[in-house]
Amino acid sequence: MDGIDEPRVSEWLAAHVPEAEPPFSFSLIAGGRSNLTYRFTDAVGTPRVLRRPPLGHVLATAHDMGRELRIIAALGEHGSVPVPAALGFCDDSEVIGAPFSVMSFVDGVVVRDLPSAALLAPSLRPAAARDLIETLARLHEPEPEDLGLGELARREDYLARQLKRWYGQFQQMSTREIPSLDEAYRLLSASLPVQQRASVVHGDYRLDNTVLSAEDGSVRAVLDWEICTLGDPLADLGQLCVYWAQADDPVPDLLGAPTASGGFPSRDELVGWYGACSSLDLGDLDRYVAFGYWKLACILEGVYERTKAGAGGGDGSDPGAYEVQVPLLAEAALRLARQSGGGPTGGSG
């Protein structure tokens, strides 16, 4: 299997993961867009999860597996946000060609796209959306120190740092010109909203990065903490709004977003629920949504380049979908940035 040396990783798992009994069987859960995620089952049928970086070229500051596991362990100990249990970390690249982490497998429903939306009954979709928002608010509420993550990263000037980081990665990875992405970067950099507070920020919070209960729709675990950091909590809410597809969206069929199917509440309802759980002023949220479109364009351009190069771990991802989506996302970011104001609103400190 691409990305897994089964004999060598099996030896490591047997030696380092408590109660893991060989032989192990492996299957790919998700690849291509982010870290590669594998489910493996041991001799007694216990499933667990192994995560490793994408195959091929990986940017120096991306896909830090040890950092992601540290975040999961800290959140698990605090208990305010449900996460998988951290089970082990290997920093020896000789085992499978890259560092990797091991965590528990959380059973439930992952609603990744329109077909998988059928796994969650329409009657449960409002409850799932409500718990998704309330879970996000619980992540943002504590001081980072209270979560054991006070030294995770800088916390001031979050959007300015994010714009610089993702634009730099876009410039390193992309092999084509996207003028709307460049212009949106300039406009967003010149019109930053005020950062009201600093919290732990997931960085890619969306429906398909959670495991839901099929019985009541509640969030059983939040996944994919690889770009978690400290910063502006409204960036998470703005990003969630980008992924929460609606029929009137500027980017049609955003990667098959499941919320385009019936039964899911509107973005306005999500924002209202978050506002009821938070003391933050949401008046500048459109700028965060514009940033969310722009950031997703940068991320997916990297996915596009890796997928073209065959670094998707064998999941069958089609680079053509990303080739089309990235300019549409950049154009949506540019339109919304223009609509939401033309000048700075006080910086981001």
Side-chain angles (χ1 to χ4, degrees), residues 167 170 174-184 186 294 297-298 301 304-305 322-323 325-331:
Y167 195 53
F170 167 77
S174 183
T175 58
R176 57 178 174 162
E177 294 186 1
I178 307 177
S180 55
L181 191 144
D182 298 327
E183 179 60 24
R186 287 190 287 270
W294 179 87
C298 292
E301 184 67 5
Y304 168 59
E305 295 293 344
Y322 302 116
E323 182 179 15
Q325 288 280 355
V326 169
L328 292 175
L329 288 164
E331 291 161 11

Side-chain angles (χ1 to χ4, degrees), residues 49-323:
V49 169
L50 183 151
R51 276 170 60 82
R52 59 150 295 159
L55 307 179
H57 174 63
V58 175
L59 294 171
T61 58
H63 311 287
D64 186 335
M65 307 309 303
R67 184 176 182 274
E68 181 180 40
L69 200 71
R70 174 194 164 196
I71 291 165
I72 289 173
L75 293 170
E77 183 175 349
H78 186 268
S80 59
V81 176
V83 292
L87 300 179
F89 173 67
C90 177
D91 61 0
D92 182 1
S93 296
E94 295 299 316
V95 177
I96 63 170
F100 62 90
S101 60
V102 181
M103 60 195 70
S104 65
F105 178 82
V106 179
D107 197 17
V109 173
V110 178
V111 182
R112 297 190 182 280
D113 49 28
L114 283 169
S116 64
L119 299 173
L120 186 67
S123 62
L124 296 180
R125 293 173 187 177
R130 184 70 177 256
D131 200 39
L132 186 74
I133 282 291
E134 292 179 354
T135 300
L136 182 62
R138 288 197 304 273
L139 172 66
H140 293 158
E141 181 180 359
E143 292 295 323
E145 290 80 4
D146 296 338
L147 295 168
L149 295 170
E151 303 301 318
L152 183 65
R154 290 174 55 192
R155 55 187 80 191
E156 71 280 357
D157 298 324
Y158 175 75
L159 285 187
R161 289 186 289 110
Q162 286 281 296
L163 284 161
K164 181 178 180 180
R165 174 193 176 188
W166 289 109
Y167 195 53
Q169 293 203 4
F170 167 77
Q171 291 176 314
Q172 288 183 60
M173 293 288 288
S174 183
T175 58
R176 57 178 174 162
E177 294 186 1
I178 307 177
S180 55
L181 191 144
D182 298 327
E183 179 60 24
Y185 168 76
R186 287 190 287 270
L187 186 56
L188 288 167
S189 297
S191 58
L192 295 172
V194 175
Q195 180 175 315
Q196 299 171 54
R197 65 184 300 266
S199 70
V200 173
V201 175
H202 181 278
D204 198 20
Y205 194 80
R206 61 183 195 260
L207 185 62
D208 63 312
N209 273 339
T210 62
V211 179
L212 305 176
S213 166
E215 286 72 41
D216 61 11
S218 61
V219 176
R220 302 197 64 192
V222 180
L223 310 175
D224 200 359
W225 295 87
E226 67 177 283
I227 58 175
C228 173
T229 188
L230 304 183
D232 193 327
L234 292 186
D236 271 345
L237 182 60
Q239 192 80 59
L240 178 60
C241 288
V242 167
Y243 282 111
W244 204 264
Q246 298 183 163
D248 58 350
D249 280 348
V251 184
D253 189 27
L254 178 56
L255 299 177
T259 54
S261 61
F264 288 100
S266 68
R267 281 197 203 98
D268 288 344
E269 289 176 280
L270 296 187
V271 171
W273 290 334
Y274 185 91
C277 298
S278 171
S279 61
L280 295 174
D281 183 347
L282 306 185
D284 274 332
L285 185 61
D286 278 354
R287 297 190 189 208
Y288 292 93
V289 177
F291 167 72
Y293 276 118
W294 179 87
K295 174 183 166 184
L296 183 57
C298 292
I299 291 173
L300 294 187
E301 184 67 5
V303 175
Y304 168 59
E305 295 293 344
R306 289 197 303 272
T307 306
K308 280 198 306 179
D315 72 338
S317 294
D318 176 15
Y322 302 116
E323 182 179 15

Side-chain angles (χ1 to χ4, degrees), residues 13-45:
L13 293 169
H16 294 90
V17 178
E19 301 181 2
E21 299 184 23
F24 304 104
S25 60
F26 297 85
S27 60
L28 182 69
I29 296 176
R33 290 182 58 182
S34 182
N35 289 332
L36 306 184
T37 305
Y38 304 85
R39 171 176 168 158
F40 68 94
T41 304
D42 71 1
V44 297

